[in-house]
Amino acid sequence: MTLLSRVRSFVRAIIFRRRLEREIEADLQFHVAERADDLMSRGLTRTEAERRAREELGEPIRWKEEGREAFGLRMLDDLRGDAVYALRWLRRSPAFAAAAVLSVALGVGANAAVFNLLNVVLLRSLPVADPRQLVVFGMSSAGDANPGTFFSYRMFQTFREQSRTLTGTTASSGIRFSVQLDQQDDPAVTGQMVSGNYYAILGVPMALGRPILPADDAVPGSGAVAVLSYGYWQRRFGGDAHAIGRRIALNGVPCTIVGVSAPEFFVTHVGDAVDVTVPLSMQPQVMSEQGGRIQGNGVFDFWLELIGRLAPGVSGAQASAEVDGIFQRSLADEMLRQAGPKAALLGHPRIVLEPGGRGLSELRRRFARPLSVLMGAAALVLLIACANVANLLLARAAARRREIAVRVSLGASRARLVRQLLTESLLLALIGGAAGLIVAVWSSRTLAALLVEGSAGALAARPDGIVLTFTFAVTIATGLLFGIAPAFGSSQMDANAALKDGSASVTATGRRLGMGGALVAAQVAISVVLLVFAALFVRTLVNLRTLDLGLDQEHVLTLRLQPPGSNQKRLNEARLRRVYGSLLERVRAVPGVRAASLAGSTPLAGDTLNPAIAVAGYVPRAGEDMHVRLMQIYPDYFASLGVPLLAGREFTAADDSPRAPRLAVINETMARRFFGGSAAAIGRSFGLSLNGWGFQIAGVARDSRERALRDEVPPLAYATFAHTPTGRGQMTLVVRATADPRGLAATVRQLAREVEPAMVMLPVETLADRVQDATRQERLVALLSSLFGTVALTLAALGLYGVLAYAVARRRTEFGIRIALGETPGRLERAVLGESLLVAGAGMLAGIVAAFAVVRLVNRMLFGLAPLDPVSFGAAAALMLAVAAAAAWLPARHAARVDPIVALRRD
C-alpha cells in the first residue's frame, strides 16, 4: 500500500468514522453467521453453533480494536485520551499552567508579531493576478548597489511598443493632489498617475465601477477620470455607491470618478496608500508646474516607474536581455542626437528586470536589516521562554515521580509515557501559541504605525495565512523543544527507587541545581545578549535625537510649493518672483512669525544639486572628489532656520537679481576644506564646472544638517534664486515662529492659496516632524529590542527564582541538619545566594562573550558609538547581575529560616 493510499484511507476513516464502525460490526456479524450456518449443517443447534462460531473467531471487541488500529483510529483515540488527561492535569495545577502558558505566549507572540511585519514588508506578494509573472524595471551602472527605478516617458513608450517577451508594460508616477469637493478642500491627498493599461496588466480587482482604460490615456490632456482607493472612498464618501459619476477637482482640474479599487489593493509601493489615481494623459493639467512631460521626447527625464508582465513561457533572464537590447539601441540613438551634461552623467547603464511580485518599496530597503535583526532577537526570546517552561516541567516531573512510577509498574511502556508527556507539552504550547497570536494581531497596527506613520493602514498588517502557518510551526517546535528533555528524563526513572519511602529525601540532598541550573545559565546568557543589543539601539536613538543639527528644529515649519510653470524656471522667472515675493511679504506680516524665507531644497530632504567646482588657488589631490552641494535660497534663509553666520554676511534683496554680482554663502566644512577656515574664505571665489559660472564668497554659515541625520555634513554652497543654474523653480517655504509653529500651518497654507490659487502644495511639516520621521527605523528597533530585553530579563529572573525556590524546598532536610549542627542562618543564606549567583555569573560571562561575537552584525545600524561600547556592555551586565541577585534573595532567605525541628520531623 502506497503512502498516498494510506493517507487517503486514514482521512476517509476520520471523516466517515461512524459508517466505518458500522461496516466493521456488519463484517463481524456476517462472519459469525457464516460460520454458524456451517456448524449447523454438521448437526449443531443454532445457539450452540453461534457460541462455537464466536469462540473460533475470538472476541468481537478485539477484532474491532484491530480494525480501528488498521485504519489509524486507535491512535486518534489514544491522542484524544492523552489530551483529555493533560487538560485535567493542567486544571489541577492552575499556577503552573498560567506560568507556562504566559512564557510561551510571550515567546511565540514576539516571533509572530515581528514575522508579521517582516512578511508584510519583505515577503508578501501584491494582491494582483499572478504576481509571480510581474517584473520591475531597473537601470544599473557598473558598481551600483541599488539600481535606479525611474525612466522617461519616451523609454516607456519604446519598451511598450517593441518588447515581445512582455505581454505589456505599465508606467506610474506619484503625485500630491489638492482635492476640492462640495466647496471643501482636502489639501494633501496622495495620488498617482498611471498608464491606461495599469489595471489590466496588474489584474487589479475593482470594488465599484471601472478601472482606468487605455482610451482614457490616449491623448495628452484628455481622460479627466479618476479611480479612488477603497479607504479614501470610505473616508470621503462614506461608502456611497453614488460616488461613481461625481465630479471632483484635482489640483483645480475637474475629473469624473469612474471606479473604486478593491479594499486589499493599495498600490504597487509597499507601505504607500494612494487615494486617487488618474491617467498619465492628465499630467500636463494636474502637474502644470512641471510642463508637458509626456509630450517631451527627451530620454533623460526620469520620473516614471515601470512594471511589466512576462509572456507565457518567457523567463526573466530572456526578458531582461531583450529589454536591455532595446534600451541600448535607443540610448545610442539619443547620444548621437543629444550630447548634453545629462547624457554624460548617465554613463553606460543597462536595464535589469527584477521580480516584481512583491512590488516596489523604499520601506523594504530601509527596514530589511532592522527587521531581520529583530527577528533574531525574537527567536532568542523564544529560546528563553522554552528554557523557562522546560524548568517548570522538570520541577513538575520531579513532583510526579510517584505517579509515573506507578504507571510504569502497571505496565505503561516508555514510549507511552513519552507520548503522554509530550502531549501535555504540546497542549501547553498550543494554548500559549494561541495567546501569542492574539498578541500579534492586537499589536499589528501599532507596529505598522512605527513603520509608516500616518498611513499604517497601507501595510494591511493583519496576519495572513503565511503568518498563521509560521506561528503554528513555531508553536509545535516550541512544544517539542521544551518538552522533549523532561519527557525522556521522566520516562527513564527507576520506578522501584521512586516508590520507596524517603527516596525524595535522599535525592534532595544534592547541592547542585542540575539541568535546571544549566537552563537558567542559558537564559541569563541570552538575556545579556538581548540587553546589550537593547542598550546599543537605545543609545543610538538618543544620539540621533540629541544630535546638534545646527538649526532650530523646534520652531521651524516647512511647506513645499509648486506654482504653475515652476518646472521651467528661466521661462517663468518673473512670474515666479512675483508669487514668491508676495507670499513672503504676507507670511512675514503674520503675528508670531520671526522670519521667513524660501529654499530650493527642504531641510533634511537631501534633494540639493551636486555640481563639481573649481577653486581658485586650490590644487586637488589625485582622485579627490570636487563635487559640492549647491542650494538656491532667498534672503533671510539662515535667520529663518536659526543658523548663525561665522563670517561675512547673508544675502540681501539686492543680491537676488540677475544683474547683481554672483555671490555665495558656504558652510564651514567647505570653508575649512578648500580655504583653510571661515575668515580666510571671505572674498575668495570658486567656479562651477557645470556651466563655468563663478561665485565670490560673501559669508560662511555654521554647519547644519541639510540632508540625512547619519551623513557627515558635506561641503555646501548657497546661491540666490537668480544665480542658481537649475531649471527647477519649485521652492520650500521656511517659516520660523516665536512659539509652536504648528499653530501657523493653516494660516500659511491659506496665504499660499490666496497668492496662487493653482499652487500645488505638499503637507506642512515642522523640522521636528522631519527629525521624527528620519528616526523611525531607530525608534522601532530601540522600542522592540528594549521590550524583548525586558521580557528576557523577566523570564530569566523568574527561571532563576523558580529553580532556586524548588531546590530550597527539596533541600529543607539538609538545611535543617546544617542549622542543627551550628551553621548560622546568615552563612547559610550567603551560601545559597552564592550558588545561585555562580550560575547567573557563568551565564552572564557566556552572554558577554556571545555578544562580543555577534554585535558587529549590527555595526551599520549604530550611530555615535562603537559596537563594543563599554557603557552598553557594562549596563547590561550590571542590570542582569542586580536582577539575578534580587531573584535569588527570597529563596536564600527562606533557606536561612528553615526550622530544623520541623524539617527533621517532616522527613
Side-chain angles (χ1 to χ4, degrees):
M1 190 181 224
T2 64
L3 178 61
L4 182 60
S5 300
R6 290 179 180 273
V7 172
R8 191 162 49 236
S9 175
F10 177 64
V11 173
R12 188 164 53 244
I14 295 174
I15 298 175
F16 303 107
R17 176 164 185 162
R18 290 187 177 181
R19 190 173 72 183
L20 183 62
E21 295 274 3
R22 289 195 298 268
E23 290 175 355
I24 294 174
E25 181 69 29
D27 284 345
L28 287 173
Q29 292 177 358
F30 171 77
H31 288 295
V32 169
E34 284 288 312
R35 181 56 180 162
D37 290 342
D38 183 51
L39 293 173
M40 287 174 62
S41 67
R42 300 182 183 180
L44 296 179
T45 65
R46 173 169 292 278
T47 302
E48 182 63 19
E50 289 179 350
R51 186 186 65 78
R52 290 274 302 272
R54 292 192 188 94
E55 288 180 354
E56 291 179 8
L57 293 175
E59 288 295 327
I61 294 178
R62 181 171 63 85
W63 288 105
K64 288 180 182 180
E65 287 299 317
E66 290 180 356
R68 292 191 186 98
E69 188 170 359
F71 285 104
L73 296 177
R74 182 175 177 181
M75 180 182 66
L76 285 181
D77 292 338
D78 289 343
L79 289 176
R80 182 174 60 187
D82 290 344
V84 171
Y85 180 81
L87 282 173
R88 289 203 303 267
W89 171 67
L90 292 178
R91 192 164 56 242
R92 290 196 304 267
S93 307
F96 165 82
V101 167
L102 180 61
S103 296
V104 176
L106 290 174
V108 173
N111 279 266
V114 177
F115 181 79
N116 182 46
L117 280 185
L118 192 142
N119 175 52
V120 169
V121 176
L122 301 179
L123 305 178
R124 184 177 293 176
S125 296
L126 293 174
V128 299
D130 198 4
R132 292 173 298 179
Q133 292 300 107
L134 296 179
V135 290
V136 174
F137 284 66
M139 184 187 302
S140 176
S141 298
D144 282 353
N146 298 306
T149 57
F150 291 96
F151 296 84
S152 67
Y153 187 77
R154 181 179 171 188
M155 288 181 185
F156 162 59
Q157 288 179 309
T158 302
F159 295 144
R160 182 176 59 180
E161 294 167 1
Q162 297 185 21
S163 176
R164 298 294 176 265
T165 59
L166 301 175
T167 58
T169 302
T170 184
S172 62
S173 179
I175 185 175
R176 287 278 184 170
F177 286 126
S178 176
V179 177
Q180 294 84 40
L181 176 67
D182 298 333
Q183 284 79 49
Q184 293 184 356
D185 286 352
D186 211 346
V189 174
T190 56
Q192 66 174 349
M193 300 174 292
V194 300
S195 56
N197 60 353
Y198 179 83
Y199 289 89
I201 293 296
L202 294 181
V204 177
M206 302 298 293
L208 202 66
R210 69 168 179 86
I212 291 173
L213 302 174
D216 301 320
D217 189 39
V219 180
S222 67
V225 298
V227 170
L228 308 181
S229 72
Y230 188 88
Y232 189 71
W233 174 58
Q234 290 286 338
R235 294 195 308 272
R236 193 67 192 266
F237 296 91
D240 183 7
H242 293 97
I244 302 299
R246 293 190 63 179
R247 302 275 285 177
I248 59 174
L250 303 175
N251 292 348
V253 181
C255 295
T256 302
I257 300 172
V258 296
V260 177
S261 60
E264 63 271 15
F265 181 77
F266 292 96
V267 72
T268 51
H269 271 266
V270 177
D272 289 350
V274 169
D275 295 322
V276 182
T277 302
V278 299
L280 273 177
S281 61
M282 291 297 296
Q283 183 272 323
Q285 282 70 41
V286 297
M287 292 179 66
S288 58
E289 78 285 352
Q290 295 198 17
R293 302 183 80 169
I294 62 172
Q295 297 164 317
N297 58 2
V299 77
F300 302 115
D301 188 12
F302 306 124
W303 63 294
L304 293 174
E305 293 178 308
L306 309 184
I307 293 180
R309 183 174 289 277
L310 296 174
V314 176
S315 67
Q318 292 172 320
S320 289
E322 185 215 35
V323 171
D324 186 53
I326 295 172
F327 174 72
Q328 297 301 333
R329 292 192 296 272
S330 300
L331 189 62
D333 294 341
E334 185 68 17
M335 289 295 190
L336 291 174
R337 191 180 69 85
Q338 174 184 333
K342 288 187 178 180
L345 290 174
L346 194 62
H348 298 86
R350 62 185 185 89
I351 298 297
V352 291
L353 297 183
E354 301 288 345
R358 294 180 291 133
L360 300 156
S361 180
E362 170 66 17
L363 207 63
R364 186 177 302 135
R365 182 196 63 79
R366 186 173 178 181
F367 284 95
R369 176 177 287 270
L371 287 176
S372 299
V373 170
L374 290 174
M375 195 72 241
L380 293 180
V381 171
L382 184 61
L383 286 178
I384 294 177
C386 288
N388 223 32
V389 180
N391 265 333
L392 290 173
L393 289 175
L394 285 171
R396 188 67 181 171
R400 297 172 65 188
R401 286 171 57 84
R402 293 181 64 84
E403 172 202 336
I404 295 173
V406 169
R407 297 179 67 180
V408 171
S409 300
L410 293 177
S413 66
R414 305 292 183 187
R416 185 70 180 83
L417 285 174
V418 168
R419 191 177 71 187
Q420 173 64 53
L421 295 173
L422 283 181
T423 301
E424 294 169 0
S425 300
L426 290 173
L427 185 62
L428 274 175
L430 289 171
I431 297 173
L437 185 60
I438 293 173
V439 171
V441 172
W442 172 75
S443 63
S444 60
R445 288 190 63 84
T446 303
L447 294 178
L450 292 174
L451 291 180
V452 283
E453 292 185 13
S455 58
L459 278 180
R462 292 190 68 83
D464 58 9
I466 295 177
V467 177
L468 295 179
T469 302
F470 170 83
T471 305
F472 179 75
V474 167
T475 300
I476 296 300
T478 299
L480 293 175
L481 185 61
F482 68 65
I484 197 163
F488 277 95
S490 298
S491 68
Q492 299 298 321
M493 74 168 58
D494 186 343
N496 293 326
L499 290 173
K500 291 180 180 178
D501 291 335
S503 61
S505 297
V506 175
T507 306
T509 57
R511 288 176 175 270
R512 297 181 180 180
L513 298 178
M515 183 181 291
L519 290 174
V520 168
Q523 285 180 288
V524 170
I526 297 173
S527 298
V528 168
V529 174
L530 290 175
L531 289 174
V532 168
F533 275 60
L536 289 171
F537 293 139
V538 168
R539 294 197 67 207
T540 290
L541 179 61
V542 171
N543 288 344
L544 286 171
R545 296 303 300 269
T546 58
L547 182 67
D548 182 10
L549 302 182
L551 44 80
D552 181 4
Q553 59 173 300
E554 298 300 329
H555 300 94
V556 178
L557 63 79
T558 64
L559 173 62
R560 186 67 175 170
L561 306 172
Q562 297 179 350
S566 57
N567 190 55
Q568 300 179 17
K569 170 183 167 183
R570 296 305 172 200
L571 296 178
N572 301 286
E573 186 168 350
R575 189 174 66 81
L576 292 175
R577 282 179 173 280
R578 288 195 299 271
V579 170
Y580 291 145
S582 176
L583 177 60
L584 282 176
E585 183 179 351
R586 296 189 183 200
V587 170
R588 287 167 179 165
V590 174
V593 172
R594 181 184 300 180
S597 185
L598 292 161
S601 171
T602 303
L604 300 179
D607 50 352
T608 53
L609 299 174
N610 189 31
I613 66 168
V615 179
Y618 181 83
V619 180
R621 298 183 301 275
E624 181 179 359
D625 183 8
M626 292 296 292
H627 288 81
V628 300
R629 296 285 169 177
L630 179 66
M631 183 189 301
Q632 60 179 343
I633 62 173
Y634 262 62
D636 289 339
Y637 174 76
F638 300 103
S640 300
L641 281 182
V643 177
L645 288 181
L646 303 180
R649 65 176 180 86
E650 192 175 348
F651 296 125
T652 65
D655 297 322
D656 190 23
S657 168
R659 293 181 297 275
R662 295 191 185 98
L663 300 178
V665 175
I666 64 174
N667 68 351
E668 57 181 312
T669 294
M670 183 171 174
R672 187 167 51 250
R673 175 176 167 184
F674 294 111
F675 305 103
S678 300
I682 302 299
R684 301 283 296 275
S685 62
F686 64 89
L688 298 182
S689 302
L690 184 66
N691 55 9
W693 283 8
F695 291 84
Q696 186 178 23
I697 298 172
V700 177
R702 181 189 174 192
D703 279 344
S704 60
R705 293 185 181 267
E706 302 281 354
R707 306 183 69 221
L709 295 181
R710 288 175 173 267
D711 293 349
E712 294 291 332
V713 177
L716 176 63
Y718 304 87
T720 62
F721 183 79
H723 295 150
T724 304
T726 174
R728 295 295 178 92
Q730 297 92 344
M731 301 290 282
T732 296
L733 178 65
V734 181
V735 181
R736 189 179 182 195
T738 56
D740 187 354
R742 293 176 180 85
L744 300 173
T747 301
V748 169
R749 180 175 286 278
Q750 179 61 32
L751 291 176
R753 182 68 67 201
E754 292 175 0
V755 170
E756 176 54 74
M759 179 92 73
V760 176
M761 294 177 284
L762 299 186
V764 176
E765 295 179 296
T766 67
L767 286 189
D769 293 335
R770 297 194 66 84
V771 172
Q772 185 86 347
D773 180 71
T775 56
R776 265 190 292 143
Q777 169 187 312
E778 289 78 13
R779 281 187 290 123
L780 173 71
V781 175
L783 174 64
L784 289 185
S785 62
S786 298
L787 181 62
F788 293 161
T790 303
V791 171
L793 190 66
T794 303
L795 290 176
L798 290 176
L800 180 60
Y801 171 79
V803 169
L804 193 59
Y806 178 71
V808 167
R810 289 179 59 81
R811 296 170 62 188
R812 289 176 65 87
T813 301
E814 174 197 340
F815 295 146
I817 293 173
R818 292 171 67 176
I819 292 175
L821 293 177
E823 188 163 18
T824 62
R827 184 175 177 183
L828 185 60
E829 181 177 345
R830 288 192 297 273
V832 174
L833 192 61
E835 289 180 18
S836 60
L837 291 182
L838 185 63
V839 172
M844 192 164 59
L845 181 60
I848 291 176
V849 172
F852 266 107
V854 301
V855 76
R856 289 182 176 84
L857 297 176
V858 299
N859 186 26
R860 286 192 294 173
M861 296 173 61
L862 305 180
F863 179 80
L865 65 161
L868 303 180
D869 176 50
V871 175
S872 299
F873 276 81
L879 181 60
M880 187 70 252
L881 186 62
V883 171
W889 175 77
L890 191 58
R893 185 177 175 84
H894 287 166
R897 293 187 173 185
V898 170
D899 187 334
I901 297 177
V902 174
L904 293 174
R905 182 185 298 125
R906 179 182 178 185
D907 187 56

